[in-house]
Amino acid sequence: MGPIDYLVVEFPGNRMTGEGLPLLVDLVDRGLIRILDLTFIRKDADGSVSGLEIGDLTSDGALDLAVFEGASSGLLGQDDLEEAANALEPGNSAGVLIYENVWAAPFAAALRRGGAELVASGRIPAPAVLAALDATETAP
């Protein structure tokens, strides 16, 4: 199995355009990732949090999320959704995605067979990388 990552993507004002969905489907179709869980939540103005069914998001026909229906491995619990909601501003919604990096599974297996052990892992936020690159380009 490859490394497992998660994303919480906030949609201000509950506006989801669906523009990224075909790209997500493409990653799955090319075997780069496998979606383990995908759910949507909404944080109301009073701070209460509720889950959104995929059918609730597609009723106007603007978004086609049917391909993601049933994407649930059981890894995401209610406590995880509440934690994700802590990152949201009231009046917004979010998609919570857990996915396997399928592309990395053969690499990880080869390392394990060779006796290697993962001792650290992390992610550098894109804004930090861009700022560092800008600083490098402007340095004398």
PDB file of all heavy atoms in Angstrom, residues 32-61:
ATOM      1  N   LEU A  32      -2.831   6.883 -10.215  1.00  0.00           N
ATOM      2  CA  LEU A  32      -1.902   7.603  -9.354  1.00  0.00           C
ATOM      3  C   LEU A  32      -2.372   7.647  -7.910  1.00  0.00           C
ATOM      4  O   LEU A  32      -1.566   7.595  -6.984  1.00  0.00           O
ATOM      5  CB  LEU A  32      -1.675   9.019  -9.884  1.00  0.00           C
ATOM      6  CG  LEU A  32      -1.054   9.080 -11.284  1.00  0.00           C
ATOM      7  CD1 LEU A  32      -0.994  10.517 -11.771  1.00  0.00           C
ATOM      8  CD2 LEU A  32       0.320   8.443 -11.288  1.00  0.00           C
ATOM      9  N   ILE A  33      -3.689   7.759  -7.728  1.00  0.00           N
ATOM     10  CA  ILE A  33      -4.268   7.756  -6.389  1.00  0.00           C
ATOM     11  C   ILE A  33      -5.479   6.830  -6.362  1.00  0.00           C
ATOM     12  O   ILE A  33      -6.037   6.482  -7.413  1.00  0.00           O
ATOM     13  CB  ILE A  33      -4.691   9.170  -5.897  1.00  0.00           C
ATOM     14  CG1 ILE A  33      -5.867   9.713  -6.713  1.00  0.00           C
ATOM     15  CG2 ILE A  33      -3.516  10.127  -5.902  1.00  0.00           C
ATOM     16  CD1 ILE A  33      -6.520  10.945  -6.116  1.00  0.00           C
ATOM     17  N   ARG A  34      -5.854   6.433  -5.146  1.00  0.00           N
ATOM     18  CA  ARG A  34      -7.091   5.690  -4.927  1.00  0.00           C
ATOM     19  C   ARG A  34      -7.830   6.416  -3.819  1.00  0.00           C
ATOM     20  O   ARG A  34      -7.278   6.653  -2.737  1.00  0.00           O
ATOM     21  CB  ARG A  34      -6.784   4.260  -4.510  1.00  0.00           C
ATOM     22  CG  ARG A  34      -8.036   3.444  -4.208  1.00  0.00           C
ATOM     23  CD  ARG A  34      -7.721   1.970  -4.019  1.00  0.00           C
ATOM     24  NE  ARG A  34      -6.788   1.747  -2.941  1.00  0.00           N
ATOM     25  CZ  ARG A  34      -7.052   1.021  -1.854  1.00  0.00           C
ATOM     26  NH1 ARG A  34      -8.247   0.470  -1.692  1.00  0.00           N
ATOM     27  NH2 ARG A  34      -6.135   0.850  -0.920  1.00  0.00           N
ATOM     28  N   ILE A  35      -9.047   6.815  -4.093  1.00  0.00           N
ATOM     29  CA  ILE A  35      -9.850   7.519  -3.098  1.00  0.00           C
ATOM     30  C   ILE A  35     -10.381   6.509  -2.091  1.00  0.00           C
ATOM     31  O   ILE A  35     -11.042   5.542  -2.456  1.00  0.00           O
ATOM     32  CB  ILE A  35     -11.006   8.295  -3.754  1.00  0.00           C
ATOM     33  CG1 ILE A  35     -10.429   9.392  -4.648  1.00  0.00           C
ATOM     34  CG2 ILE A  35     -11.938   8.880  -2.699  1.00  0.00           C
ATOM     35  CD1 ILE A  35     -11.446  10.153  -5.448  1.00  0.00           C
ATOM     36  N   LEU A  36     -10.055   6.750  -0.833  1.00  0.00           N
ATOM     37  CA  LEU A  36     -10.530   5.884   0.239  1.00  0.00           C
ATOM     38  C   LEU A  36     -11.786   6.452   0.885  1.00  0.00           C
ATOM     39  O   LEU A  36     -12.694   5.700   1.235  1.00  0.00           O
ATOM     40  CB  LEU A  36      -9.430   5.700   1.289  1.00  0.00           C
ATOM     41  CG  LEU A  36      -8.137   5.069   0.758  1.00  0.00           C
ATOM     42  CD1 LEU A  36      -7.068   5.053   1.833  1.00  0.00           C
ATOM     43  CD2 LEU A  36      -8.394   3.678   0.216  1.00  0.00           C
ATOM     44  N   ASP A  37     -11.818   7.757   1.083  1.00  0.00           N
ATOM     45  CA  ASP A  37     -12.982   8.417   1.669  1.00  0.00           C
ATOM     46  C   ASP A  37     -13.150   9.785   1.035  1.00  0.00           C
ATOM     47  O   ASP A  37     -12.158  10.488   0.800  1.00  0.00           O
ATOM     48  CB  ASP A  37     -12.795   8.626   3.181  1.00  0.00           C
ATOM     49  CG  ASP A  37     -12.997   7.358   3.969  1.00  0.00           C
ATOM     50  OD1 ASP A  37     -14.165   6.963   4.134  1.00  0.00           O
ATOM     51  OD2 ASP A  37     -11.997   6.777   4.417  1.00  0.00           O
ATOM     52  N   LEU A  38     -14.381  10.141   0.780  1.00  0.00           N
ATOM     53  CA  LEU A  38     -14.712  11.491   0.343  1.00  0.00           C
ATOM     54  C   LEU A  38     -16.054  11.844   0.950  1.00  0.00           C
ATOM     55  O   LEU A  38     -17.043  11.142   0.750  1.00  0.00           O
ATOM     56  CB  LEU A  38     -14.779  11.605  -1.181  1.00  0.00           C
ATOM     57  CG  LEU A  38     -15.209  12.968  -1.723  1.00  0.00           C
ATOM     58  CD1 LEU A  38     -14.213  14.050  -1.338  1.00  0.00           C
ATOM     59  CD2 LEU A  38     -15.396  12.918  -3.230  1.00  0.00           C
ATOM     60  N   THR A  39     -16.047  12.912   1.710  1.00  0.00           N
ATOM     61  CA  THR A  39     -17.287  13.378   2.319  1.00  0.00           C
ATOM     62  C   THR A  39     -17.277  14.900   2.335  1.00  0.00           C
ATOM     63  O   THR A  39     -16.233  15.526   2.167  1.00  0.00           O
ATOM     64  CB  THR A  39     -17.478  12.804   3.737  1.00  0.00           C
ATOM     65  OG1 THR A  39     -18.812  13.056   4.173  1.00  0.00           O
ATOM     66  CG2 THR A  39     -16.482  13.385   4.707  1.00  0.00           C
ATOM     67  N   PHE A  40     -18.442  15.462   2.515  1.00  0.00           N
ATOM     68  CA  PHE A  40     -18.582  16.911   2.546  1.00  0.00           C
ATOM     69  C   PHE A  40     -19.272  17.313   3.844  1.00  0.00           C
ATOM     70  O   PHE A  40     -20.156  16.613   4.335  1.00  0.00           O
ATOM     71  CB  PHE A  40     -19.389  17.398   1.342  1.00  0.00           C
ATOM     72  CG  PHE A  40     -18.694  17.156   0.036  1.00  0.00           C
ATOM     73  CD1 PHE A  40     -18.870  15.961  -0.643  1.00  0.00           C
ATOM     74  CD2 PHE A  40     -17.848  18.109  -0.502  1.00  0.00           C
ATOM     75  CE1 PHE A  40     -18.217  15.717  -1.837  1.00  0.00           C
ATOM     76  CE2 PHE A  40     -17.186  17.873  -1.698  1.00  0.00           C
ATOM     77  CZ  PHE A  40     -17.372  16.674  -2.358  1.00  0.00           C
ATOM     78  N   ILE A  41     -18.826  18.438   4.380  1.00  0.00           N
ATOM     79  CA  ILE A  41     -19.418  18.967   5.603  1.00  0.00           C
ATOM     80  C   ILE A  41     -19.726  20.443   5.425  1.00  0.00           C
ATOM     81  O   ILE A  41     -19.151  21.099   4.555  1.00  0.00           O
ATOM     82  CB  ILE A  41     -18.490  18.770   6.821  1.00  0.00           C
ATOM     83  CG1 ILE A  41     -17.116  19.419   6.580  1.00  0.00           C
ATOM     84  CG2 ILE A  41     -18.345  17.300   7.165  1.00  0.00           C
ATOM     85  CD1 ILE A  41     -16.185  19.382   7.787  1.00  0.00           C
ATOM     86  N   ARG A  42     -20.631  20.933   6.253  1.00  0.00           N
ATOM     87  CA  ARG A  42     -20.986  22.349   6.248  1.00  0.00           C
ATOM     88  C   ARG A  42     -20.943  22.856   7.680  1.00  0.00           C
ATOM     89  O   ARG A  42     -21.386  22.182   8.598  1.00  0.00           O
ATOM     90  CB  ARG A  42     -22.385  22.558   5.668  1.00  0.00           C
ATOM     91  CG  ARG A  42     -22.847  23.996   5.745  1.00  0.00           C
ATOM     92  CD  ARG A  42     -24.238  24.266   5.176  1.00  0.00           C
ATOM     93  NE  ARG A  42     -25.142  23.144   5.190  1.00  0.00           N
ATOM     94  CZ  ARG A  42     -25.816  22.708   4.101  1.00  0.00           C
ATOM     95  NH1 ARG A  42     -25.688  23.304   2.952  1.00  0.00           N
ATOM     96  NH2 ARG A  42     -26.630  21.677   4.186  1.00  0.00           N
ATOM     97  N   LYS A  43     -20.388  24.055   7.835  1.00  0.00           N
ATOM     98  CA  LYS A  43     -20.371  24.699   9.149  1.00  0.00           C
ATOM     99  C   LYS A  43     -21.308  25.898   9.075  1.00  0.00           C
ATOM    100  O   LYS A  43     -21.053  26.855   8.339  1.00  0.00           O
ATOM    101  CB  LYS A  43     -18.951  25.141   9.516  1.00  0.00           C
ATOM    102  CG  LYS A  43     -18.816  25.668  10.927  1.00  0.00           C
ATOM    103  CD  LYS A  43     -17.348  25.888  11.252  1.00  0.00           C
ATOM    104  CE  LYS A  43     -17.109  26.184  12.690  1.00  0.00           C
ATOM    105  NZ  LYS A  43     -15.655  26.322  12.973  1.00  0.00           N
ATOM    106  N   ASP A  44     -22.383  25.830   9.828  1.00  0.00           N
ATOM    107  CA  ASP A  44     -23.381  26.899   9.799  1.00  0.00           C
ATOM    108  C   ASP A  44     -22.885  28.137  10.549  1.00  0.00           C
ATOM    109  O   ASP A  44     -21.889  28.086  11.276  1.00  0.00           O
ATOM    110  CB  ASP A  44     -24.701  26.401  10.394  1.00  0.00           C
ATOM    111  CG  ASP A  44     -25.346  25.347   9.514  1.00  0.00           C
ATOM    112  OD1 ASP A  44     -25.231  25.444   8.275  1.00  0.00           O
ATOM    113  OD2 ASP A  44     -25.960  24.417  10.071  1.00  0.00           O
ATOM    114  N   ALA A  45     -23.595  29.223  10.384  1.00  0.00           N
ATOM    115  CA  ALA A  45     -23.209  30.499  11.010  1.00  0.00           C
ATOM    116  C   ALA A  45     -23.117  30.382  12.529  1.00  0.00           C
ATOM    117  O   ALA A  45     -22.305  31.063  13.151  1.00  0.00           O
ATOM    118  CB  ALA A  45     -24.204  31.593  10.615  1.00  0.00           C
ATOM    119  N   ASP A  46     -23.917  29.496  13.128  1.00  0.00           N
ATOM    120  CA  ASP A  46     -23.870  29.327  14.581  1.00  0.00           C
ATOM    121  C   ASP A  46     -22.772  28.363  15.027  1.00  0.00           C
ATOM    122  O   ASP A  46     -22.637  28.072  16.213  1.00  0.00           O
ATOM    123  CB  ASP A  46     -25.227  28.866  15.112  1.00  0.00           C
ATOM    124  CG  ASP A  46     -25.622  27.474  14.622  1.00  0.00           C
ATOM    125  OD1 ASP A  46     -24.832  26.826  13.893  1.00  0.00           O
ATOM    126  OD2 ASP A  46     -26.726  27.023  14.983  1.00  0.00           O
ATOM    127  N   GLY A  47     -21.990  27.847  14.067  1.00  0.00           N
ATOM    128  CA  GLY A  47     -20.891  26.943  14.387  1.00  0.00           C
ATOM    129  C   GLY A  47     -21.245  25.474  14.366  1.00  0.00           C
ATOM    130  O   GLY A  47     -20.364  24.623  14.488  1.00  0.00           O
ATOM    131  N   SER A  48     -22.532  25.159  14.202  1.00  0.00           N
ATOM    132  CA  SER A  48     -22.918  23.746  14.146  1.00  0.00           C
ATOM    133  C   SER A  48     -22.444  23.137  12.826  1.00  0.00           C
ATOM    134  O   SER A  48     -22.356  23.812  11.801  1.00  0.00           O
ATOM    135  CB  SER A  48     -24.429  23.581  14.317  1.00  0.00           C
ATOM    136  OG  SER A  48     -25.113  24.229  13.261  1.00  0.00           O
ATOM    137  N   VAL A  49     -22.136  21.851  12.876  1.00  0.00           N
ATOM    138  CA  VAL A  49     -21.562  21.156  11.722  1.00  0.00           C
ATOM    139  C   VAL A  49     -22.501  20.040  11.304  1.00  0.00           C
ATOM    140  O   VAL A  49     -23.037  19.310  12.137  1.00  0.00           O
ATOM    141  CB  VAL A  49     -20.183  20.564  12.083  1.00  0.00           C
ATOM    142  CG1 VAL A  49     -19.599  19.799  10.916  1.00  0.00           C
ATOM    143  CG2 VAL A  49     -19.244  21.663  12.536  1.00  0.00           C
ATOM    144  N   SER A  50     -22.698  19.913  10.000  1.00  0.00           N
ATOM    145  CA  SER A  50     -23.517  18.827   9.485  1.00  0.00           C
ATOM    146  C   SER A  50     -22.846  18.231   8.259  1.00  0.00           C
ATOM    147  O   SER A  50     -22.095  18.897   7.544  1.00  0.00           O
ATOM    148  CB  SER A  50     -24.923  19.326   9.135  1.00  0.00           C
ATOM    149  OG  SER A  50     -24.855  20.364   8.175  1.00  0.00           O
ATOM    150  N   GLY A  51     -23.115  16.959   8.054  1.00  0.00           N
ATOM    151  CA  GLY A  51     -22.619  16.280   6.869  1.00  0.00           C
ATOM    152  C   GLY A  51     -23.512  16.582   5.688  1.00  0.00           C
ATOM    153  O   GLY A  51     -24.702  16.849   5.850  1.00  0.00           O
ATOM    154  N   LEU A  52     -22.933  16.552   4.514  1.00  0.00           N
ATOM    155  CA  LEU A  52     -23.697  16.756   3.287  1.00  0.00           C
ATOM    156  C   LEU A  52     -23.615  15.491   2.456  1.00  0.00           C
ATOM    157  O   LEU A  52     -22.529  14.940   2.262  1.00  0.00           O
ATOM    158  CB  LEU A  52     -23.112  17.917   2.479  1.00  0.00           C
ATOM    159  CG  LEU A  52     -23.126  19.300   3.115  1.00  0.00           C
ATOM    160  CD1 LEU A  52     -22.313  20.272   2.280  1.00  0.00           C
ATOM    161  CD2 LEU A  52     -24.556  19.786   3.225  1.00  0.00           C
ATOM    162  N   GLU A  53     -24.739  15.027   1.994  1.00  0.00           N
ATOM    163  CA  GLU A  53     -24.750  13.885   1.095  1.00  0.00           C
ATOM    164  C   GLU A  53     -24.384  14.354  -0.307  1.00  0.00           C
ATOM    165  O   GLU A  53     -24.682  15.495  -0.683  1.00  0.00           O
ATOM    166  CB  GLU A  53     -26.139  13.234   1.072  1.00  0.00           C
ATOM    167  CG  GLU A  53     -26.552  12.626   2.396  1.00  0.00           C
ATOM    168  CD  GLU A  53     -25.668  11.460   2.808  1.00  0.00           C
ATOM    169  OE1 GLU A  53     -25.244  10.687   1.920  1.00  0.00           O
ATOM    170  OE2 GLU A  53     -25.390  11.336   4.005  1.00  0.00           O
ATOM    171  N   ILE A  54     -23.754  13.496  -1.057  1.00  0.00           N
ATOM    172  CA  ILE A  54     -23.375  13.862  -2.423  1.00  0.00           C
ATOM    173  C   ILE A  54     -24.609  14.274  -3.218  1.00  0.00           C
ATOM    174  O   ILE A  54     -24.564  15.218  -3.988  1.00  0.00           O
ATOM    175  CB  ILE A  54     -22.589  12.723  -3.099  1.00  0.00           C
ATOM    176  CG1 ILE A  54     -21.183  12.686  -2.493  1.00  0.00           C
ATOM    177  CG2 ILE A  54     -22.540  12.893  -4.599  1.00  0.00           C
ATOM    178  CD1 ILE A  54     -20.258  11.645  -3.041  1.00  0.00           C
ATOM    179  N   GLY A  55     -25.735  13.617  -2.965  1.00  0.00           N
ATOM    180  CA  GLY A  55     -26.980  13.998  -3.647  1.00  0.00           C
ATOM    181  C   GLY A  55     -27.400  15.421  -3.343  1.00  0.00           C
ATOM    182  O   GLY A  55     -27.998  16.097  -4.186  1.00  0.00           O
ATOM    183  N   ASP A  56     -27.072  15.914  -2.144  1.00  0.00           N
ATOM    184  CA  ASP A  56     -27.403  17.292  -1.773  1.00  0.00           C
ATOM    185  C   ASP A  56     -26.611  18.291  -2.602  1.00  0.00           C
ATOM    186  O   ASP A  56     -27.030  19.428  -2.791  1.00  0.00           O
ATOM    187  CB  ASP A  56     -27.094  17.553  -0.301  1.00  0.00           C
ATOM    188  CG  ASP A  56     -27.938  16.720   0.644  1.00  0.00           C
ATOM    189  OD1 ASP A  56     -29.022  16.273   0.225  1.00  0.00           O
ATOM    190  OD2 ASP A  56     -27.496  16.512   1.788  1.00  0.00           O
ATOM    191  N   LEU A  57     -25.441  17.868  -3.071  1.00  0.00           N
ATOM    192  CA  LEU A  57     -24.558  18.779  -3.796  1.00  0.00           C
ATOM    193  C   LEU A  57     -24.830  18.786  -5.289  1.00  0.00           C
ATOM    194  O   LEU A  57     -24.407  19.683  -5.991  1.00  0.00           O
ATOM    195  CB  LEU A  57     -23.096  18.379  -3.566  1.00  0.00           C
ATOM    196  CG  LEU A  57     -22.659  18.345  -2.103  1.00  0.00           C
ATOM    197  CD1 LEU A  57     -21.300  17.698  -1.982  1.00  0.00           C
ATOM    198  CD2 LEU A  57     -22.638  19.743  -1.535  1.00  0.00           C
ATOM    199  N   THR A  58     -25.525  17.768  -5.788  1.00  0.00           N
ATOM    200  CA  THR A  58     -25.701  17.633  -7.227  1.00  0.00           C
ATOM    201  C   THR A  58     -27.125  17.889  -7.684  1.00  0.00           C
ATOM    202  O   THR A  58     -27.421  17.745  -8.851  1.00  0.00           O
ATOM    203  CB  THR A  58     -25.288  16.220  -7.678  1.00  0.00           C
ATOM    204  OG1 THR A  58     -26.122  15.270  -7.012  1.00  0.00           O
ATOM    205  CG2 THR A  58     -23.836  15.941  -7.364  1.00  0.00           C
ATOM    206  N   SER A  59     -27.980  18.292  -6.784  1.00  0.00           N
ATOM    207  CA  SER A  59     -29.402  18.398  -7.122  1.00  0.00           C
ATOM    208  C   SER A  59     -29.688  19.438  -8.190  1.00  0.00           C
ATOM    209  O   SER A  59     -30.657  19.315  -8.921  1.00  0.00           O
ATOM    210  CB  SER A  59     -30.222  18.703  -5.866  1.00  0.00           C
ATOM    211  OG  SER A  59     -29.782  19.930  -5.289  1.00  0.00           O
ATOM    212  N   ASP A  60     -28.833  20.450  -8.321  1.00  0.00           N
ATOM    213  CA  ASP A  60     -29.089  21.463  -9.345  1.00  0.00           C
ATOM    214  C   ASP A  60     -28.496  21.084 -10.697  1.00  0.00           C
ATOM    215  O   ASP A  60     -28.643  21.807 -11.673  1.00  0.00           O
ATOM    216  CB  ASP A  60     -28.559  22.832  -8.905  1.00  0.00           C
ATOM    217  CG  ASP A  60     -27.037  22.862  -8.765  1.00  0.00           C
ATOM    218  OD1 ASP A  60     -26.388  21.815  -8.987  1.00  0.00           O
ATOM    219  OD2 ASP A  60     -26.510  23.936  -8.444  1.00  0.00           O
ATOM    220  N   GLY A  61     -27.801  19.951 -10.770  1.00  0.00           N
ATOM    221  CA  GLY A  61     -27.219  19.504 -12.028  1.00  0.00           C
ATOM    222  C   GLY A  61     -25.896  20.153 -12.383  1.00  0.00           C
ATOM    223  O   GLY A  61     -25.270  19.790 -13.357  1.00  0.00           O
TER     224      GLY A  61
END
